[in-house]
Amino acid sequence: MRILFIIFFLLVTSLNLQASSEHAEEEGAVDAFGLIMGHISDSHQWHVIDYTNRHGHPVHISMPLPVILWHDNQLWFYSSDSFFHAEHPVKIGNDHLVLEDGHFYLTDHEGTIIRDGQGSITNPSPLDFSITKNVASMILSMLLLLLIFLSAAKAYARYGMPPPKGFRAILEPLILFVRDDIARSQIDEDKADKFVPFLLTLFFFIWINNLIGIVPFFPGGSNLSGNISFTATLAVFAFLAINIFASKDYWKHIFIAPGMPFPIKILLVPLEFVGIFIKPFALMIRLFANITAGHIIILSLISIIFILKSIYIAPVSVLLSLVMFMLELLVAVLQAYIFTLLTALFIGMSTSKTEH
Amino acid sequence: MEAISLTAIGLGLIVLGAALGIGKIGQSAIEAMSRQPEISSKIQTAMIVAAALIEGVSLFAIVVAWLVD
């Protein structure tokens, strides 16, 4: 545990934090919608804090992240800092780059952005492999998971199986819970243990990312598990796990529907076929919407203070958001549990031998 | 304004339906648990699965309502 804290501390302090002072923006209405959307979407820099210094200038502190682009059959590396405070567009080969609305676009040397009638940008954009805020947060959570579980595994290898001590005393019941109450209760006895590593990974990866997401200050606060690409990737893995190990009976029941009269078969087979894809799709939407909704609710409750511009609303708003944070702690583990449980259920349905 | 209010009504309907469904699941699960406390953990799992399925549909509807808006 102590190592964990030290590494966390090192990570936070060794970051190349850059402060920049800019002139005061126009005073007035707080853009709550823009603030919330900015928080729940991905970003090329990791925002830390904004404050007003002694001279009345607002100071924005954020961590620059690496920008990796593929253009002209070549990889280009930049620091995202060069896009946020640059006067001129950044050169990339014979073209120039501009960061607009969170995307990179190729422009001429003056950085002209061309918009069509609907206001969407028509400039070509290079392939973007950048380490964005979400990716950085995912790397952080992977490191944390590796630290926790490798140290636990090492301890088991060294001490064998006496009653667990310290941090392992929390991990062991959780792991046993996933194995016994999720895997073994949903999947056939002889096949369950094969899927336990996958289900454990799903459970802990989703949980730790949910938890990091609701930490309101710097190393947390990214909306990773509320990002549709993240949940889509997890759903694709669930889809593969469900269908690769499926039994012959499963496919037979989908494409032949034995024992049904022919007119019903015509209805049933397409439905069952679409069902293969709807299951992981529902997993994807559920996690994405739950986590994003939680972030939006908490931020909206905090924003009420600034929308109404009254300090007297603050206690109510803080109390309500405290309650929401509590609820989000529960939702974090519940959604990880539901995702894992439903994946195990679908795997169990596809791998089991049906009794006739 | 027209579109915004329609979306709001749709969201309200979604919430109504989801609340009705999950409420009924919770009610019958608690009734079943009080009748047979010894299998309450199994009932709980079934309850959560059913609630999650309803929630999935309603969240899907919310996302669609949001996108169509």
Side-chain angles (χ1 to χ4, degrees):
Chain A
M1 254 333 261
R2 203 156 297 156
I3 303 169
L4 234 159
F5 276 121
I6 291 169
I7 290 197
F8 224 112
F9 182 74
L10 281 178
L11 228 141
V12 173
T13 49
S14 67
L15 295 171
N16 176 19
L17 299 181
Q18 300 198 349
S20 66
S21 178
E22 283 171 20
H23 287 290
E25 291 156 25
E26 51 181 336
E27 292 287 316
V30 174
D31 179 18
F33 184 77
L35 182 138
I36 291 170
M37 283 303 143
H39 169 81
I40 64 171
S41 54
D42 204 357
S43 160
H44 282 281
Q45 62 174 359
W46 204 337
H47 177 245
V48 181
I49 197 171
D50 279 356
Y51 64 96
T52 312
N53 65 8
R54 281 181 296 150
H55 310 295
H57 294 307
V59 179
H60 306 289
I61 298 181
S62 53
M63 187 180 116
L65 294 165
V67 170
I68 304 163
L69 300 170
W70 177 260
H71 179 60
D72 282 343
N73 298 322
Q74 191 181 344
L75 275 180
W76 299 80
F77 295 87
Y78 301 94
S79 160
S80 68
D81 208 46
S82 51
F83 294 95
F84 284 98
H85 311 298
E87 306 271 304
H88 303 289
V90 178
K91 255 182 97 69
I92 178 168
N94 297 322
D95 296 298
H96 292 76
L97 267 181
V98 161
L99 183 63
E100 187 83 16
D101 304 336
H103 293 283
F104 286 102
Y105 296 100
L106 297 171
T107 60
D108 56 7
H109 61 93
E110 281 170 342
T112 323
I113 293 285
I114 306 154
R115 290 175 192 272
D116 65 5
Q118 276 88 43
S120 48
I121 298 167
T122 54
N123 290 43
S125 54
L127 278 179
D128 192 353
F129 298 104
S130 307
I131 310 287
T132 55
K133 187 174 88 170
N134 281 347
V135 179
S137 167
M138 186 160 68
I139 292 170
L140 174 70
S141 66
M142 285 192 301
L143 287 177
L144 278 176
L145 277 183
L146 279 177
L147 258 174
I148 293 169
F149 284 95
L150 287 183
S151 63
K154 209 184 281 174
Y156 276 109
R158 190 184 297 164
Y159 302 119
M161 296 300 253
K165 271 196 221 145
F167 200 56
R168 280 187 298 148
I170 309 172
L171 283 181
E172 189 167 314
L174 288 171
I175 292 170
L176 287 182
F177 170 74
V178 173
R179 190 190 71 181
D180 295 337
D181 289 347
I182 296 181
R184 287 191 181 167
S185 73
Q186 305 295 342
I187 307 173
D188 282 358
E189 281 287 302
D190 52 329
K191 298 181 194 104
D193 285 7
K194 194 167 70 178
F195 293 102
V196 169
F198 173 62
L199 297 172
L200 277 173
T201 312
L202 269 186
F203 182 75
F204 285 106
F205 191 52
I206 295 172
W207 192 18
I208 201 163
N209 279 316
N210 288 349
L211 286 180
I212 288 178
I214 54 176
V215 173
F217 43 82
F218 164 57
S222 63
N223 184 29
L224 177 57
S225 43
N227 183 306
I228 195 109
S229 339
F230 175 82
T231 59
T233 312
L234 290 179
V236 165
F237 282 122
F239 173 81
L240 293 178
I242 293 163
N243 290 296
I244 286 177
F245 300 101
S247 64
K248 247 182 230 158
D249 275 351
Y250 170 76
W251 295 114
K252 204 168 88 185
H253 276 266
I254 285 173
F255 288 114
I256 303 176
M260 293 288 171
F262 184 71
I264 292 183
K265 270 185 190 176
I266 294 177
L267 280 174
L268 209 58
V269 171
L271 263 180
E272 286 277 359
F273 182 71
V274 173
I276 303 174
F277 301 99
I278 285 186
K279 283 171 198 161
F281 190 76
L283 285 177
M284 171 181 93
I285 295 286
R286 181 177 301 111
L287 184 59
F288 156 74
N290 263 295
I291 303 303
T292 306
H295 282 242
I296 291 176
I297 290 169
I298 290 174
L299 287 169
S300 310
L301 284 174
I302 297 287
S303 299
I304 288 175
I305 306 172
F306 302 103
I307 291 170
L308 297 180
K309 283 184 193 152
S310 156
I311 199 162
Y312 301 109
I313 206 81
V316 181
S317 156
V318 168
L319 205 69
L320 280 175
S321 58
L322 180 71
V323 173
M324 276 313 296
F325 267 116
M326 297 292 186
L327 190 68
E328 284 305 301
L329 271 180
L330 174 72
V331 167
V333 67
L334 193 69
Q335 289 307 318
Y337 170 60
I338 286 177
F339 196 106
T340 321
L341 180 74
L342 287 178
T343 309
L345 192 93
F346 296 145
I347 290 172
M349 272 159 55
S350 75
T351 54
S352 74
K353 293 196 172 58
T354 44
E355 297 102 32
H356 291 286
Chain B
M1 274 322 276
E2 189 91 342
I4 292 169
S5 59
L6 269 181
T7 312
I9 290 170
L11 289 174
L13 285 175
I14 295 164
V15 170
L16 256 181
L20 198 69
I22 294 178
K24 273 209 77 96
I25 292 168
Q27 178 203 2
S28 20
I30 288 169
E31 276 173 9
M33 275 190 237
S34 57
R35 263 174 225 190
Q36 279 175 299
E38 64 273 9
I39 57 161
S40 55
S41 69
K42 272 188 182 171
I43 296 171
Q44 215 159 22
T45 309
M47 176 185 82
I48 288 176
V49 169
L53 292 177
I54 289 182
E55 193 196 42
V57 173
S58 52
L59 286 174
F60 181 71
I62 286 172
V63 169
V64 168
W66 196 26
L67 289 180
V68 166
D69 176 28

